[in-house]
Amino acid sequence: KTIALCGKDMDIYSGNDDQTVPVMALGGKGIISVASNIIPAQMRRTAALMLRDNIIKAREIQNEYLELMNMLFCETNPIPVKYALGEMTGRSCPLRLPLTELGDKNKEKLKNTEEKIGITTKTINKSILPITALSVGVMSTVALLSMFVKRNAKIAVKENNN
């Protein structure tokens, strides 16, 4: 309703990874993403595809990673994503109170989900990980990545139109 009422006068961004495609299909401009800390290339590609109105391919990518997106919210954010980053990088991602360590059952579920979609410490290109999350906090990294996705999606659209 907000997009319909405001049109181009207001940019709307999805705040939920699992709603990227539907929000952008209705006119949203991008995503503030938690999953982009774990799968940055895939989230960037999804947003770029949606900006080019390629809903079919964007939907395929979103559906492929939907279980991971949901697992990243199995407990209070940013607990699961910090745990996943720590596992992927071999670095600790300390939490401050009132946040606590990810529960053992959810650790196992998250590991199984990552393995199921092929994310392991052996397959991760550490140069693309948002390592700044380890020191400045996940939320700051998410905001930076969303700006990066928007800027690069516009560049990709321009390159493909030339």
Side-chain angles (χ1 to χ4, degrees), residues 68-87:
L68 173 66
M69 292 173 192
N70 291 329
M71 279 305 303
L72 293 175
F73 291 92
C74 65
E75 291 185 21
T76 303
N77 183 39
I79 294 169
V81 73
K82 282 195 166 213
Y83 174 79
L85 283 170
E87 288 294 303

Side-chain angles (χ1 to χ4, degrees), residues 116-133:
K116 186 172 156 183
I117 60 176
I119 297 176
T120 66
T121 54
K122 293 179 182 171
T123 61
I124 293 299
N125 176 350
K126 289 182 173 66
S127 67
I128 64 166
L129 282 174
I131 299 300
T132 54

Side-chain angles (χ1 to χ4, degrees), residues 29-117:
K29 303 297 183 199
I31 172 111
I32 306 295
S33 174
V34 171
S36 64
N37 286 283
I38 308 301
I39 50 170
Q42 293 86 344
M43 294 307 295
R44 179 193 178 281
R45 181 151 168 73
T46 301
L49 287 165
M50 288 305 298
L51 289 172
R52 292 190 304 242
D53 293 323
N54 190 341
I55 193 169
I56 293 170
K57 184 63 183 163
R59 183 181 60 209
E60 289 173 7
I61 295 169
Q62 180 162 324
N63 287 336
E64 181 178 350
Y65 294 98
L66 188 59
E67 187 177 351
L68 173 66
M69 292 173 192
N70 291 329
M71 279 305 303
L72 293 175
F73 291 92
C74 65
E75 291 185 21
T76 303
N77 183 39
I79 294 169
V81 73
K82 282 195 166 213
Y83 174 79
L85 283 170
E87 288 294 303
M88 291 165 56
T89 63
R91 295 180 171 193
S92 113
C93 294
L95 297 168
R96 289 176 274 161
L97 290 174
L99 300 177
T100 59
E101 187 176 330
L102 187 65
D104 290 338
K105 286 183 183 178
N106 284 329
K107 283 181 184 178
E108 192 62 33
K109 287 180 185 178
L110 186 53
K111 284 181 188 179
N112 289 339
T113 300
E114 290 174 337
E115 288 174 7
K116 186 172 156 183
I117 60 176

